[in-house]
Amino acid sequence: MLCASCGQKTDYLVLVNKSHPIDEAFAKQLELVTVDTVYDGEKTEVEKNAYAAYLSLQKALMEQGIEIGIDSAYRSVEYQKQIMQDFTEKYGEEYARNTVAIPGTSEHHTALAIDIVPKVDGQWKWENEDMMQLPELFAVIHKELPKHGFILRLLKGKEDITGYSYEPWHIRYVGSAEVARKISESGLVLEEYLE
C-alpha cells in the first residue's frame, strides 16, 4: 500500500481515513477534470479515470431507469472544514463527527471518492435523511458499482472499522472492475482488504 503523504506515485488503493491523513499535495499529482454537480452552476473536480468510470456507471444505471448525479467529489481541506461546520450547525456535533471526515482525513481529498445522488420523481434527493429512505434504489446502484471500478466505501456493520456511519451514496473508485469486484465480493471495507 502506498501512503498518501509520502510523495510516492498515485495509487488508486490509497487509504485515507481518520488514522491515515492525506497531504493536500496528493491531489495535485492527479489529472483532474472539472464537472457539473446536480446544483445549477456548481462544479467539482474528479480524477479523470474515476470520472470516466462514473460516466459508464451513470449510463448503465440510466439504462435501468435510474438517474444519478454528482453531489460532490474532490474537496480541499478548507472546504472540508466548512462542511464540518455546516453539519455541526445543522445536525449537531455528534452526528457531524460520525458522518463528516475531519479535515485532512477525507477520501474526498483524493478526488477518487464521489457522493452520488439519485433523481426520484423528477427531483434530486440530496439530503442524507431522504437518501436513507431509498434502500431498494441504492441496492440496484450498489450492485452495479464494481462493474465500473467502484466500491461502496462505508458499509453497514463496519462503522467500527471505517469510523463512519453507513453512507449509501459515498462511492470510491479503486482503479479497475477486477479490484472493485474482489473487494465487493469479499464483504470487506478498504481498510480490511488492504491488510
Side-chain angles (χ1 to χ4, degrees):
M1 169 179 53
L2 301 180
C3 76
S5 59
C6 54
Q8 294 184 21
K9 186 177 177 183
T10 301
D11 182 358
Y12 287 112
L13 291 178
V14 66
L15 180 63
V16 178
N17 61 22
K18 292 177 181 180
S19 302
H20 296 88
I22 191 168
D23 183 331
E24 265 197 282
F26 178 82
K28 292 182 169 71
Q29 53 186 318
L30 301 174
E31 190 172 340
L32 302 178
V33 293
T34 302
V35 302
D36 293 322
T37 69
V38 296
Y39 309 105
D40 288 338
E42 288 191 31
K43 307 274 186 196
T44 190
E45 291 178 305
V46 182
E47 191 274 337
K48 90 171 177 176
N49 293 325
Y51 185 61
Y54 165 79
L55 291 176
S56 173
L57 170 67
Q58 185 183 48
K59 181 181 177 190
L61 288 170
M62 187 64 84
E63 290 170 358
Q64 297 176 55
I66 298 172
E67 186 174 356
I68 61 167
I70 295 177
D71 177 41
S72 68
Y74 172 72
R75 298 178 190 159
S76 68
V77 172
E78 285 305 312
Y79 184 53
Q80 191 70 20
K81 287 178 185 175
Q82 183 61 53
I83 292 171
M84 178 63 88
Q85 182 179 335
D86 293 347
F87 268 68
T88 300
E89 290 171 7
K90 185 172 185 174
Y91 300 107
E93 189 174 330
E94 183 177 351
Y95 180 87
R97 199 172 46 249
N98 291 327
T99 306
V100 179
I102 296 166
T105 67
S106 172
E107 276 199 317
H108 288 285
H109 300 322
T110 68
L112 301 172
I114 300 173
D115 285 347
I116 58 170
V117 292
K119 188 178 255 189
V120 178
D121 297 327
Q123 298 205 6
W124 293 110
K125 298 295 182 182
W126 55 270
E127 290 284 351
N128 293 358
E129 53 268 21
D130 292 338
M131 288 191 283
M132 293 301 265
Q133 302 304 312
L134 302 168
E136 296 86 8
L137 178 66
F138 275 104
V140 175
I141 293 170
H142 296 162
K143 186 176 179 184
E144 193 68 32
L145 294 177
K147 299 174 191 173
H148 307 276
F150 288 97
I151 59 170
L152 178 63
R153 181 63 177 95
L154 304 171
L155 299 176
K156 273 185 192 173
K158 301 284 186 163
E159 294 85 353
D160 58 326
I161 298 167
T162 64
Y164 297 103
S165 302
Y166 166 66
E167 292 184 0
W169 55 84
H170 183 97
I171 64 174
R172 164 69 190 271
Y173 184 65
V174 293
S176 74
E178 180 183 354
V179 172
R181 182 186 49 76
K182 285 180 185 175
I183 296 171
S184 297
E185 288 178 358
S186 73
L188 302 174
V189 289
L190 193 57
E191 288 84 349
E192 295 171 304
Y193 179 79
L194 291 175
E195 285 180 3

